Amino acid sequence: MLYTLVMMVCLTDVPQTCEQREQMVDGLAMNPGTAFMQAQPLVAQWIETHPGYFVQRWRVLPGRGS
C-alpha cells in the first residue's frame, strides 16, 4: 500500500529550526499500525544519512501523495 512518511526534522545545532519532510513509501502493510512499525527503519535510515538533523516527530499517512 502507498503511504507518505511525514517527518518534522530539526537542525541539531539550532533545534528551533525545523521543517517538514515527506517521502512516498510503497510496500507497507495495509494495517496502519503495522505500517507504522515497518516505517521505523526508514526513519532511522534517514537520521543516519542526514547528520546535523534530528527527527522531532513522524507519522505515516495512507494514500497521501502530492
Side-chain angles (χ1 to χ4, degrees), residues 36-63:
F36 183 83
M37 291 188 311
Q38 291 174 329
Q40 288 177 352
L42 299 174
V43 175
Q45 180 182 15
W46 191 94
I47 293 168
E48 289 177 8
T49 58
H50 294 82
Y53 286 90
F54 68 95
V55 176
Q56 185 181 65
R57 64 181 177 270
W58 65 276
R59 64 183 185 251
V60 288
L61 301 174

Side-chain angles (χ1 to χ4, degrees), residues 1-35:
M1 182 168 175
L2 184 63
Y3 285 89
T4 301
L5 174 62
V6 181
M7 297 180 289
M8 181 61 66
V9 300
C10 306
L11 290 171
T12 304
D13 293 339
V14 190
Q16 65 273 21
T17 302
C18 302
E19 61 185 56
Q20 183 171 295
R21 299 277 178 103
E22 295 186 7
Q23 176 181 339
M24 299 303 294
V25 180
D26 196 14
L28 299 181
M30 291 188 73
N31 178 292
T34 303

